[in-house]
Structure formats: C-alpha cells, structure tokens
Amino acid sequence: MVLLATASLTSAFGAQAHETTLTAAPLATWQTDGVVWSVEYVRGVVYVGGTFDSVRPPGAKPGQKQVPRRNFAAFDAVTGKLLPCAHSFTEGAGTVRALKASRDGKVLYVGGSFGEVDGAGVASAVALNTADCSLRRDFRPAVAAPVRAIETTGTTVYLGGDFTVVDGQERKRVAAFSRSGTLLPFKADIDEPVRAVLAAPDRGQLLVGGAFHNVNGKPEQALVSLNPTTGATVKSFPDWLPERSAVTSLTRNGDRFYLGAEGEGAGIFDGRIAGRLADGRMVWKDTCLGATQNVLVYKGVLYSASHAHYCGLTRGGFPDGPRRHFLAQSIGDKTILHWFPDTDDGIGEGVGPRTLVMAGDILWAGGEFTTVNGRPQQGLTRFGAGPGDTAPQDAPRLTGGRTRAGKVTLAWRAAWDRDDAELTYRIYRDGVLVASPKRRSAEWDRPAMTYTDSVPRGSHHRYTIAVTDGRHTTPRSEPLDVTA
C-alpha cells in the first residue's frame, strides 16, 4: 500500500502540457573568457559575438588551453568544434552585440560597438561572406553609436541601437539598408535605444522593441510596429508594457510573435508576451519576475534566457526564490514546462544567459555565466533534443519503522529532476523490489512520501530506496533496519 502526502501540487505544476522539451543536460561546449552577447546559426556554423579575448575547450579551466579570439568566434553546429573563421573586433568598446544571417544564408551581418576589424577602420557594423568567412567590402555603414539588434529580409537589412546618425544622415535608433549597404529612405523617430527588431514583410510590418517611450511623435512604450519601407507607425500596443519595462527580444512563430522584457525596479514587468501580427492583439502575458534577455520558439515551446525568480501566478510556475536562468513555456497558454537547466549569474552585470539560437535540434546559449548545472562552464553552453537526460537530484533517505505489529511504514522526501517531473521510487526489502510508487516533484516542491509494508510479526528486515527517471537511477540509500 502506498500512502502519499495529501498536500496539493496544483500550484506547483498546474495542468501539464504535452510539449516535449529539450534535455536539461548540457553538451560538451567550448568556453569564452568573457561575455557572449549574441549567437547566430547559418549553414552548419554557429557564430558567437561578445566581449572576450579567447576561447578554450570543454572542461578547460580559465587560463588553460586558450585560443585567441577577439570578440568573435565560430563553431561547428553539431560537433561544437572550434572553426578557423576568426576576425578581431576591436577599438571603441570592442564588443560584438548583434549577429544576423541573410535569409539565403550567404551573408552574416555583425553589429556592436567597435572601430576596427582586423586593424581596418569600420564603424560598428560589417558583413561577412559565410562561404569563406571573408569580410565584405560593400556593407560598411558609418554608425555613430552601438548597434544592438539586426534583422534581415530578402532585400533589406535593419539595424537598431543607440545611434542617431548613420552615414552622415539622421536615423534615430533604427535604420534600413540594401544588402549591399546603401542607406534606404526608411526613417522613424525613436527617442531611446532599440534592442530588438523583427521583420514580418508578409504582414507589412517591422516590429521594434527597446527602452523607448515615444515613436514618430506619439507615445509608444517599448514596442511598436512600423511600415518596413517608410518607417511610419502601423500598430501601437497600448498598455502592454509599463513605463519602466523594456523589450529585449522578439521572435516569430506563424502569425504570432513573442517578446521578452526587462523591468527596471521591483515588481516591474520582466516576463514574456504573445501577440498576433494580424490584428496586434495580445494572446497571453505571464507574470514572472526576473528579467528576460532572449526568447525563441522550437517545436511548440517558447524557450527563454532570463533570471526569473518568481512565477507563482503563471501556470506551472514557482514561488519567489532562487533565480532560474532558463525557462520553457507552452506557446499556446504560457504554461511553464518542467525544464530547469541552470547557470549562475556570472560576471559583468550578473544576469546569467543573454542569448539563444537553435542550430538544428541543438539549443546554443551564451551569456555571462561561469557555471551550468553547478559545474564550471563559461560563456557558452548547448542542450540537445529530449527526452530528458539529467539524473534525479538529492536521492532520498529512509526513516520510519514499525507502526503496529506486522506493519512497517517508511518515510522519505521526494527527490527532483531538471527535466522530468514524475519520478519512480524503488523500494527494496532485503534486496528485493517490493514497491515502485511514482510522484511529481520540483526543486521547490518536494513532497513527503510514505510506504507501508506488510510483513510477518516479529520479523527483521532491511530496507533501501532508489529513485529513477526511467533512464538514470540513483544508488540505493543507506539501509534502514526494522523489526516488525
């Protein structure tokens, strides 16, 4: 007979969605000695941009086996191997903040805050040929301040950032170019920095997000839809975001778009919103706290890089507590799914992961972190396809004893797993499996469990317990000796 604790887990798990997440177990990945601000995937290669001087192999400690890479590196998307494609982005802040491939994959656009590439003078934006990693001579606009976001269509390249002048002409925080680098007439008046740009030419829209408050002379808090040719305002999103909340990331899935936000101050909106491109209406909005740095959609799941510490009012969420640096949500109803790999806050501003990209079925993440799932790993990490492949954490310890003649009641606290909500507890009497109760749990909600065994009166027995997620099983616990 299995007797489970009666406390409800509805608040912890809610209605469970059927989406399958990636595994929470990281793949072996190269590391950086600084911050990764952007990652992009194109034609079998993952490009990494940030603020770093070198990279090092998986498992290498800081200062060991370093290979010079000045703020830019390239890796094989499947094996993770470091590739020879390397350019040195220096001068100014010496930072690469944005990477975006052309729709045909032939060109990689690079933006940030840099004044030289390989010693040649540039101004915060260049382009590479992906076929041979060579610098293009045609796309070299003069951008007078940092570039924080890049978006491409089949014909146009959009830059967003802090700038107000491009190629000697006024362009306030967003500008459009031909693929060969000619500044286009597109023009919008945005009062504060742009941090995300999403083109939807089939809907006649360019979504722009950032820390702004006014666009084209009218109030537009952090999000606006512009005409992709002229820059005129197409749609507004009143009351979506409060005054001190900024949009950090935009992504699209069909007719829906998703944004991540960062709030300034306690309790200011930090979460994610789903909207419809067709009519500009909100589909859902979560209420998590802890800034969201990046979002992407993969197979019906919205993955985010954040440092969420409270999601108590969102289905499947968690109470206020430690920061959880990755989240997975159902795109349909915002349910938080059971996928909890984690990093530390790391260096720099101390926000953990900052950027995500899918490379086939592998999720690459970059940021400020120096550990992943409690083990040293700096700047970069990767997660592969599911099902979950992490082992249960905190193996249980048995307590209890004889409750009445012939009855032994065992007690333990549930374990938890980063990518499996339901675990099985194998109970052994004298080395023989006698029960396998199952229970859902999470790091923040590990219920008490009991099992009552019927044995002959006065008999002596030794009990142990192990927990499994179906692929990984913990060692058996220390034995508990009981006389019935």
Side-chain angles (χ1 to χ4, degrees):
M1 178 175 66
V2 179
L3 302 176
L4 297 177
T6 58
S8 171
L9 289 182
T10 302
S11 61
F13 300 105
Q16 293 299 306
H18 300 291
E19 292 87 345
T20 298
T21 64
L22 301 166
T23 175
L27 300 170
T29 309
W30 277 68
Q31 307 171 73
T32 67
D33 66 351
V35 177
V36 172
W37 290 97
S38 184
V39 289
E40 176 65 317
Y41 167 69
V42 59
R43 294 189 169 185
V45 178
V46 170
Y47 298 93
V48 174
T51 310
F52 52 85
D53 293 320
S54 66
V55 296
R56 62 184 187 273
K61 296 180 180 180
Q64 294 182 345
K65 303 179 180 179
Q66 293 186 152
V67 180
R69 289 292 189 274
R70 291 298 302 276
N71 306 314
F72 177 84
F75 302 89
D76 184 283
V78 176
T79 68
K81 179 182 177 181
L82 179 66
L83 298 177
C85 175
H87 293 282
S88 180
F89 290 79
T90 58
E91 296 305 310
T95 294
V96 173
R97 284 186 173 266
L99 299 168
K100 189 68 178 183
S102 61
R103 295 295 175 99
D104 61 11
K106 294 181 179 180
V107 181
L108 178 72
Y109 296 94
V110 184
S113 179
F114 47 83
E116 289 186 358
V117 179
D118 302 334
V122 295
S124 294
V126 295
L128 308 178
N129 294 304
T130 58
D132 60 3
C133 192
S134 62
L135 274 171
R136 294 178 65 93
R137 296 183 178 181
D138 56 356
F139 191 89
R140 298 196 180 185
V143 186
V147 173
R148 298 180 182 272
I150 305 175
E151 176 64 310
T152 62
T153 68
T155 60
T156 308
V157 180
Y158 297 94
L159 304 183
D162 299 9
F163 52 84
T164 57
V165 176
V166 176
D167 287 348
Q169 299 187 45
E170 183 181 76
R171 290 294 188 274
K172 291 187 176 180
R173 282 91 189 186
V174 64
F177 301 82
S178 70
R179 290 188 58 174
S180 60
T182 300
L183 183 65
L184 299 177
F186 170 95
K187 192 174 183 181
D189 185 352
I190 302 178
D191 67 341
E192 296 290 345
V194 166
R195 297 176 63 178
V197 183
L198 176 67
D202 57 324
R203 298 291 191 269
Q205 298 182 60
L206 180 76
L207 287 175
V208 177
F212 50 81
H213 309 290
N214 296 279
V215 177
N216 294 333
K218 295 183 179 180
E220 305 285 357
Q221 178 57 42
L223 179 68
V224 69
S225 174
L226 303 177
N227 181 295
T229 301
T230 67
T233 301
V234 174
K235 286 185 175 69
S236 299
F237 304 88
D239 304 321
W240 278 35
L241 297 120
E243 182 177 355
R244 290 186 289 160
S245 186
V247 170
T248 58
S249 180
L250 290 162
T251 194
R252 181 183 179 181
N253 185 55
D255 189 55
R256 288 192 182 184
F257 68 92
Y258 302 84
L259 67 82
E262 179 180 63
E264 181 182 348
I268 304 300
F269 178 69
D270 275 328
R272 289 142 293 273
I273 297 176
R276 285 198 297 258
L277 287 166
D279 56 15
R281 293 192 176 185
M282 185 185 297
V283 178
W284 57 253
K285 181 179 185 178
D286 71 30
T287 54
C288 297
L289 298 177
T292 305
Q293 301 299 327
N294 206 240
V295 292
L296 64 78
V297 175
Y298 177 68
K299 292 187 175 180
V301 176
L302 180 69
Y303 291 93
S304 59
S306 73
H307 55 259
H309 58 85
Y310 171 73
C311 289
L313 298 179
T314 300
R315 180 178 298 177
F318 41 84
D320 201 12
R323 289 178 167 186
R324 306 179 193 281
H325 293 89
F326 294 107
L327 291 181
Q329 294 175 272
S330 167
I331 61 173
D333 65 1
K334 71 186 176 185
T335 297
I336 294 176
L337 308 176
H338 194 98
W339 184 75
F340 297 104
D342 204 12
T343 72
D344 62 353
D345 289 342
I347 60 178
E349 296 177 20
V351 300
R354 284 192 171 274
T355 180
L356 305 171
V357 74
M358 287 302 307
D361 60 359
I362 297 175
L363 174 66
W364 286 68
E368 302 179 355
F369 52 84
T370 60
T371 67
V372 177
N373 290 354
R375 297 183 177 180
Q377 177 68 30
Q378 186 172 0
L380 278 174
T381 190
R382 301 184 294 157
F383 301 98
D389 199 33
T390 60
Q393 310 288 308
D394 299 327
R397 181 177 65 88
L398 287 175
T399 61
R402 177 179 180 271
T403 52
R404 61 183 185 274
K407 300 291 183 181
V408 174
T409 297
L410 306 174
W412 67 95
R413 187 185 184 196
W416 66 283
D417 189 281
R418 294 187 184 276
D419 48 22
D420 289 290
E422 185 176 79
L423 300 176
T424 299
Y425 298 83
R426 295 176 177 173
I427 299 170
Y428 298 86
R429 182 207 313 135
D430 303 326
V432 178
L433 181 68
V434 294
S436 299
K438 296 182 179 181
R439 190 67 190 266
R440 303 184 75 87
S441 60
E443 182 183 12
W444 64 90
D445 200 329
R446 297 169 55 197
M449 299 180 67
T450 62
Y451 168 75
T452 297
D453 193 25
S454 298
V455 292
R457 296 183 180 183
S459 56
H460 302 278
H461 301 283
R462 172 165 285 191
Y463 292 91
T464 56
I465 188 172
V467 59
T468 181
D469 61 7
R471 289 166 300 280
H472 304 278
T473 302
T474 67
R476 296 185 192 181
S477 65
E478 290 295 318
L480 176 67
D481 294 311
V482 179
T483 298

